[in-house]
Amino acid sequence: MRDMTEGSPLRQIMRFAVPMLFASIFQQLYNLVDTLIVGRYLGADALAGVGATGTLTFLLLNFALGMANGGGLILSQCYGRKDKAQMRETILAMVWTMGILCLILSALGFVFARPLLLLLHVPEAVLAYALTYIRIILLFSASSMLYNGTAAILRSVGDSKTPFYALIVSSFMNIALDLLLVVVFPMGVAGAAVATVVSQFAAAAVGLHQIAAQREDFGLSKEYGRGLVPTRDHVVRVMKTSVPSSFQSCMISIGNLSVQRLINSFGVQTMAGYTAACKIDQLAIQVILSVGNALCVFTGQNIGAGNLARIREGLWKSRIVMLVSAAGIAAAARSFRYPIMGLFLDPGTSPEATEVGASYLGIIGIAYLVCAVMQSYQNVIRGAGDVNTCMAAGLSELAGRIFFAYLLAPGIGSTGIWLATPLSWSCGCVIPVVRYYSGKWKAKKLV
């Protein structure tokens, strides 16, 4: 646990962010391994099929995951206030809401997977791969829910190391199972999906063990209550905090589905190149996201303790770190985009897919500078509990991405879709920046 209401703000943020960054890298590592093994051993069609499921899976799981993030915001403010009784009730509310939503979304996602993939215009050549992969992931979505729920609880009290250790275990297990189930035992994309599910359960087990070992600090001992059913008020508070974030994420996912459908219309080679490049994008952006998430927890704890001056200092200093990191990542992405794509696709046999992916990396790298500004302000607003403003910002980003993608793609092809990302992030910057300087976010604390 880490009390972020005392000491140097930047030091506290970075000491929290670094383990979270490494955790994110390891999380992306097993995604990369899936992509590398599927692409190299099963071919471009299988890779395109797996890639076509990403946005849909994100949409179906995101509402339940929003419960974890919303509950984490409340927990961070309770921890700043040293209120263990409310921490207990909040955790119970998270467990019940996430469990019920997980069951509902998994069942619906499994049953309607095929119609949704057809709605996305997934080509017939890759439909079977996509359907196999997504049904396994959704059937065992409890693995993802468990890990993300435990990670949110631990991070809310400043523990970013345990989720990191959990993902080390998970990543190496995923690599071993990928090689076993795809290369040694030819299970195809089903093997890659099973490897991901099993490794996520392993990560969840590490987090659950740590929470149990520190149950006193979370208010989970008998001293703070014996019941296992949360109060109505705490369920409502978790829902009110989580639903806007979940709705925002789901709407962005719907926008991504719309954009994915546009990408699919350009054919299998564009899909394969985009899928491979997205894996690098998801890895490279973790520096910005990790510092931003650390700033969110920092803000939550300090607004709970009433330390507004520390929040201002934390925002200013962390934003500098994020912008410098973004500039370095942008330079690396542009300079090494072709060698990076060569790790996933053979330029000799898939030259078009390689070129598509390289084009995406060159554009998205520069866009990270915009993302750094957006993430800094948005995470202060979110940490303070002003979730409705964050939802409005997310919806403006969504509208921008759809508008610019469909506006530019007919004229300049897939490059127009890539350009829509920095343009949409610019749209997403406006609302949180204006809200921050208005000062109204200060009155939105949750406890």
PDB file of all heavy atoms in Angstrom, residues 374-397:
ATOM      1  N   MET A 374      -4.324  15.089 -23.277  1.00  0.00           N
ATOM      2  CA  MET A 374      -5.668  14.616 -22.965  1.00  0.00           C
ATOM      3  C   MET A 374      -5.678  13.761 -21.705  1.00  0.00           C
ATOM      4  O   MET A 374      -6.525  13.955 -20.815  1.00  0.00           O
ATOM      5  CB  MET A 374      -6.208  13.794 -24.144  1.00  0.00           C
ATOM      6  CG  MET A 374      -7.612  13.247 -23.917  1.00  0.00           C
ATOM      7  SD  MET A 374      -8.231  12.294 -25.332  1.00  0.00           S
ATOM      8  CE  MET A 374      -7.202  10.818 -25.216  1.00  0.00           C
ATOM      9  N   GLN A 375      -4.731  12.828 -21.593  1.00  0.00           N
ATOM     10  CA  GLN A 375      -4.705  11.925 -20.451  1.00  0.00           C
ATOM     11  C   GLN A 375      -4.414  12.641 -19.137  1.00  0.00           C
ATOM     12  O   GLN A 375      -4.944  12.269 -18.090  1.00  0.00           O
ATOM     13  CB  GLN A 375      -3.658  10.827 -20.691  1.00  0.00           C
ATOM     14  CG  GLN A 375      -4.086   9.764 -21.679  1.00  0.00           C
ATOM     15  CD  GLN A 375      -5.199   8.899 -21.143  1.00  0.00           C
ATOM     16  OE1 GLN A 375      -5.210   8.523 -19.979  1.00  0.00           O
ATOM     17  NE2 GLN A 375      -6.153   8.573 -22.005  1.00  0.00           N
ATOM     18  N   SER A 376      -3.572  13.664 -19.165  1.00  0.00           N
ATOM     19  CA  SER A 376      -3.217  14.351 -17.923  1.00  0.00           C
ATOM     20  C   SER A 376      -4.440  15.035 -17.309  1.00  0.00           C
ATOM     21  O   SER A 376      -4.769  14.809 -16.139  1.00  0.00           O
ATOM     22  CB  SER A 376      -2.088  15.354 -18.166  1.00  0.00           C
ATOM     23  OG  SER A 376      -2.472  16.339 -19.121  1.00  0.00           O
ATOM     24  N   TYR A 377      -5.133  15.848 -18.087  1.00  0.00           N
ATOM     25  CA  TYR A 377      -6.296  16.550 -17.554  1.00  0.00           C
ATOM     26  C   TYR A 377      -7.458  15.601 -17.264  1.00  0.00           C
ATOM     27  O   TYR A 377      -8.157  15.740 -16.253  1.00  0.00           O
ATOM     28  CB  TYR A 377      -6.742  17.638 -18.532  1.00  0.00           C
ATOM     29  CG  TYR A 377      -5.843  18.849 -18.531  1.00  0.00           C
ATOM     30  CD1 TYR A 377      -4.851  19.001 -19.500  1.00  0.00           C
ATOM     31  CD2 TYR A 377      -5.961  19.826 -17.552  1.00  0.00           C
ATOM     32  CE1 TYR A 377      -4.005  20.103 -19.498  1.00  0.00           C
ATOM     33  CE2 TYR A 377      -5.127  20.941 -17.535  1.00  0.00           C
ATOM     34  CZ  TYR A 377      -4.148  21.068 -18.509  1.00  0.00           C
ATOM     35  OH  TYR A 377      -3.313  22.159 -18.494  1.00  0.00           O
ATOM     36  N   GLN A 378      -7.653  14.631 -18.137  1.00  0.00           N
ATOM     37  CA  GLN A 378      -8.791  13.736 -17.968  1.00  0.00           C
ATOM     38  C   GLN A 378      -8.663  12.894 -16.705  1.00  0.00           C
ATOM     39  O   GLN A 378      -9.659  12.632 -16.023  1.00  0.00           O
ATOM     40  CB  GLN A 378      -8.930  12.832 -19.197  1.00  0.00           C
ATOM     41  CG  GLN A 378     -10.315  12.245 -19.374  1.00  0.00           C
ATOM     42  CD  GLN A 378     -10.474  11.565 -20.713  1.00  0.00           C
ATOM     43  OE1 GLN A 378     -10.135  10.396 -20.850  1.00  0.00           O
ATOM     44  NE2 GLN A 378     -10.982  12.270 -21.708  1.00  0.00           N
ATOM     45  N   ASN A 379      -7.434  12.502 -16.342  1.00  0.00           N
ATOM     46  CA  ASN A 379      -7.264  11.663 -15.157  1.00  0.00           C
ATOM     47  C   ASN A 379      -7.383  12.445 -13.862  1.00  0.00           C
ATOM     48  O   ASN A 379      -7.765  11.873 -12.835  1.00  0.00           O
ATOM     49  CB  ASN A 379      -5.940  10.907 -15.241  1.00  0.00           C
ATOM     50  CG  ASN A 379      -6.071   9.642 -16.060  1.00  0.00           C
ATOM     51  OD1 ASN A 379      -6.707   8.681 -15.637  1.00  0.00           O
ATOM     52  ND2 ASN A 379      -5.502   9.648 -17.255  1.00  0.00           N
ATOM     53  N   VAL A 380      -7.071  13.724 -13.874  1.00  0.00           N
ATOM     54  CA  VAL A 380      -7.349  14.539 -12.694  1.00  0.00           C
ATOM     55  C   VAL A 380      -8.856  14.657 -12.495  1.00  0.00           C
ATOM     56  O   VAL A 380      -9.376  14.490 -11.379  1.00  0.00           O
ATOM     57  CB  VAL A 380      -6.702  15.940 -12.822  1.00  0.00           C
ATOM     58  CG1 VAL A 380      -7.247  16.881 -11.746  1.00  0.00           C
ATOM     59  CG2 VAL A 380      -5.191  15.840 -12.701  1.00  0.00           C
ATOM     60  N   ILE A 381      -9.573  14.930 -13.578  1.00  0.00           N
ATOM     61  CA  ILE A 381     -11.029  15.050 -13.507  1.00  0.00           C
ATOM     62  C   ILE A 381     -11.654  13.734 -13.039  1.00  0.00           C
ATOM     63  O   ILE A 381     -12.541  13.712 -12.180  1.00  0.00           O
ATOM     64  CB  ILE A 381     -11.602  15.444 -14.884  1.00  0.00           C
ATOM     65  CG1 ILE A 381     -11.018  16.769 -15.367  1.00  0.00           C
ATOM     66  CG2 ILE A 381     -13.123  15.513 -14.832  1.00  0.00           C
ATOM     67  CD1 ILE A 381     -11.337  17.947 -14.496  1.00  0.00           C
ATOM     68  N   ARG A 382     -11.167  12.623 -13.580  1.00  0.00           N
ATOM     69  CA  ARG A 382     -11.712  11.306 -13.210  1.00  0.00           C
ATOM     70  C   ARG A 382     -11.388  10.980 -11.754  1.00  0.00           C
ATOM     71  O   ARG A 382     -12.247  10.494 -11.011  1.00  0.00           O
ATOM     72  CB  ARG A 382     -11.140  10.228 -14.129  1.00  0.00           C
ATOM     73  CG  ARG A 382     -11.664   8.822 -13.822  1.00  0.00           C
ATOM     74  CD  ARG A 382     -11.098   7.771 -14.746  1.00  0.00           C
ATOM     75  NE  ARG A 382     -11.594   7.940 -16.101  1.00  0.00           N
ATOM     76  CZ  ARG A 382     -10.855   8.321 -17.134  1.00  0.00           C
ATOM     77  NH1 ARG A 382      -9.565   8.595 -16.969  1.00  0.00           N
ATOM     78  NH2 ARG A 382     -11.372   8.448 -18.340  1.00  0.00           N
ATOM     79  N   GLY A 383     -10.157  11.204 -11.325  1.00  0.00           N
ATOM     80  CA  GLY A 383      -9.767  10.907  -9.952  1.00  0.00           C
ATOM     81  C   GLY A 383     -10.565  11.694  -8.937  1.00  0.00           C
ATOM     82  O   GLY A 383     -10.814  11.226  -7.821  1.00  0.00           O
ATOM     83  N   ALA A 384     -10.983  12.890  -9.327  1.00  0.00           N
ATOM     84  CA  ALA A 384     -11.800  13.718  -8.432  1.00  0.00           C
ATOM     85  C   ALA A 384     -13.239  13.215  -8.334  1.00  0.00           C
ATOM     86  O   ALA A 384     -13.993  13.644  -7.461  1.00  0.00           O
ATOM     87  CB  ALA A 384     -11.797  15.165  -8.919  1.00  0.00           C
ATOM     88  N   GLY A 385     -13.622  12.294  -9.226  1.00  0.00           N
ATOM     89  CA  GLY A 385     -14.975  11.759  -9.214  1.00  0.00           C
ATOM     90  C   GLY A 385     -15.923  12.432 -10.184  1.00  0.00           C
ATOM     91  O   GLY A 385     -17.119  12.143 -10.201  1.00  0.00           O
ATOM     92  N   ASP A 386     -15.389  13.313 -11.037  1.00  0.00           N
ATOM     93  CA  ASP A 386     -16.228  14.035 -11.998  1.00  0.00           C
ATOM     94  C   ASP A 386     -16.395  13.174 -13.256  1.00  0.00           C
ATOM     95  O   ASP A 386     -15.949  13.524 -14.352  1.00  0.00           O
ATOM     96  CB  ASP A 386     -15.574  15.380 -12.334  1.00  0.00           C
ATOM     97  CG  ASP A 386     -16.525  16.332 -13.053  1.00  0.00           C
ATOM     98  OD1 ASP A 386     -17.662  15.923 -13.349  1.00  0.00           O
ATOM     99  OD2 ASP A 386     -16.124  17.473 -13.313  1.00  0.00           O
ATOM    100  N   VAL A 387     -17.062  12.028 -13.076  1.00  0.00           N
ATOM    101  CA  VAL A 387     -17.125  11.025 -14.135  1.00  0.00           C
ATOM    102  C   VAL A 387     -18.012  11.441 -15.296  1.00  0.00           C
ATOM    103  O   VAL A 387     -17.815  10.997 -16.432  1.00  0.00           O
ATOM    104  CB  VAL A 387     -17.584   9.664 -13.563  1.00  0.00           C
ATOM    105  CG1 VAL A 387     -16.508   9.079 -12.666  1.00  0.00           C
ATOM    106  CG2 VAL A 387     -18.894   9.808 -12.792  1.00  0.00           C
ATOM    107  N   ASN A 388     -19.005  12.277 -15.041  1.00  0.00           N
ATOM    108  CA  ASN A 388     -19.879  12.714 -16.132  1.00  0.00           C
ATOM    109  C   ASN A 388     -19.140  13.590 -17.133  1.00  0.00           C
ATOM    110  O   ASN A 388     -19.390  13.525 -18.339  1.00  0.00           O
ATOM    111  CB  ASN A 388     -21.096  13.460 -15.572  1.00  0.00           C
ATOM    112  CG  ASN A 388     -22.069  12.545 -14.864  1.00  0.00           C
ATOM    113  OD1 ASN A 388     -22.235  11.388 -15.247  1.00  0.00           O
ATOM    114  ND2 ASN A 388     -22.706  13.034 -13.811  1.00  0.00           N
ATOM    115  N   THR A 389     -18.227  14.414 -16.632  1.00  0.00           N
ATOM    116  CA  THR A 389     -17.413  15.227 -17.536  1.00  0.00           C
ATOM    117  C   THR A 389     -16.509  14.345 -18.380  1.00  0.00           C
ATOM    118  O   THR A 389     -16.333  14.583 -19.580  1.00  0.00           O
ATOM    119  CB  THR A 389     -16.564  16.239 -16.739  1.00  0.00           C
ATOM    120  OG1 THR A 389     -17.443  17.147 -16.061  1.00  0.00           O
ATOM    121  CG2 THR A 389     -15.648  17.024 -17.657  1.00  0.00           C
ATOM    122  N   CYS A 390     -15.928  13.313 -17.750  1.00  0.00           N
ATOM    123  CA  CYS A 390     -15.093  12.375 -18.503  1.00  0.00           C
ATOM    124  C   CYS A 390     -15.903  11.664 -19.576  1.00  0.00           C
ATOM    125  O   CYS A 390     -15.413  11.412 -20.679  1.00  0.00           O
ATOM    126  CB  CYS A 390     -14.454  11.358 -17.560  1.00  0.00           C
ATOM    127  SG  CYS A 390     -13.199  12.053 -16.479  1.00  0.00           S
ATOM    128  N   MET A 391     -17.159  11.337 -19.250  1.00  0.00           N
ATOM    129  CA  MET A 391     -18.022  10.694 -20.239  1.00  0.00           C
ATOM    130  C   MET A 391     -18.270  11.629 -21.420  1.00  0.00           C
ATOM    131  O   MET A 391     -18.201  11.205 -22.585  1.00  0.00           O
ATOM    132  CB  MET A 391     -19.351  10.300 -19.601  1.00  0.00           C
ATOM    133  CG  MET A 391     -20.324   9.636 -20.569  1.00  0.00           C
ATOM    134  SD  MET A 391     -21.882   9.130 -19.800  1.00  0.00           S
ATOM    135  CE  MET A 391     -22.598  10.740 -19.455  1.00  0.00           C
ATOM    136  N   ALA A 392     -18.525  12.894 -21.133  1.00  0.00           N
ATOM    137  CA  ALA A 392     -18.748  13.863 -22.211  1.00  0.00           C
ATOM    138  C   ALA A 392     -17.512  14.000 -23.082  1.00  0.00           C
ATOM    139  O   ALA A 392     -17.610  14.084 -24.316  1.00  0.00           O
ATOM    140  CB  ALA A 392     -19.133  15.217 -21.611  1.00  0.00           C
ATOM    141  N   ALA A 393     -16.335  14.000 -22.450  1.00  0.00           N
ATOM    142  CA  ALA A 393     -15.085  14.087 -23.219  1.00  0.00           C
ATOM    143  C   ALA A 393     -14.902  12.857 -24.097  1.00  0.00           C
ATOM    144  O   ALA A 393     -14.485  12.953 -25.265  1.00  0.00           O
ATOM    145  CB  ALA A 393     -13.900  14.240 -22.265  1.00  0.00           C
ATOM    146  N   GLY A 394     -15.226  11.687 -23.535  1.00  0.00           N
ATOM    147  CA  GLY A 394     -15.109  10.452 -24.310  1.00  0.00           C
ATOM    148  C   GLY A 394     -16.044  10.422 -25.501  1.00  0.00           C
ATOM    149  O   GLY A 394     -15.683   9.942 -26.584  1.00  0.00           O
ATOM    150  N   LEU A 395     -17.248  10.936 -25.318  1.00  0.00           N
ATOM    151  CA  LEU A 395     -18.210  10.960 -26.422  1.00  0.00           C
ATOM    152  C   LEU A 395     -17.775  11.934 -27.516  1.00  0.00           C
ATOM    153  O   LEU A 395     -18.000  11.685 -28.706  1.00  0.00           O
ATOM    154  CB  LEU A 395     -19.596  11.336 -25.899  1.00  0.00           C
ATOM    155  CG  LEU A 395     -20.251  10.308 -24.969  1.00  0.00           C
ATOM    156  CD1 LEU A 395     -21.606  10.791 -24.489  1.00  0.00           C
ATOM    157  CD2 LEU A 395     -20.384   8.956 -25.662  1.00  0.00           C
ATOM    158  N   SER A 396     -17.144  13.045 -27.131  1.00  0.00           N
ATOM    159  CA  SER A 396     -16.643  13.971 -28.151  1.00  0.00           C
ATOM    160  C   SER A 396     -15.495  13.338 -28.923  1.00  0.00           C
ATOM    161  O   SER A 396     -15.370  13.535 -30.141  1.00  0.00           O
ATOM    162  CB  SER A 396     -16.187  15.288 -27.500  1.00  0.00           C
ATOM    163  OG  SER A 396     -15.038  15.104 -26.710  1.00  0.00           O
ATOM    164  N   GLU A 397     -14.680  12.547 -28.225  1.00  0.00           N
ATOM    165  CA  GLU A 397     -13.600  11.816 -28.903  1.00  0.00           C
ATOM    166  C   GLU A 397     -14.178  10.791 -29.871  1.00  0.00           C
ATOM    167  O   GLU A 397     -13.707  10.646 -31.006  1.00  0.00           O
ATOM    168  CB  GLU A 397     -12.727  11.129 -27.857  1.00  0.00           C
ATOM    169  CG  GLU A 397     -11.585  10.313 -28.438  1.00  0.00           C
ATOM    170  CD  GLU A 397     -10.854   9.512 -27.379  1.00  0.00           C
ATOM    171  OE1 GLU A 397     -10.999   9.818 -26.176  1.00  0.00           O
ATOM    172  OE2 GLU A 397     -10.140   8.570 -27.761  1.00  0.00           O
TER     173      GLU A 397
END
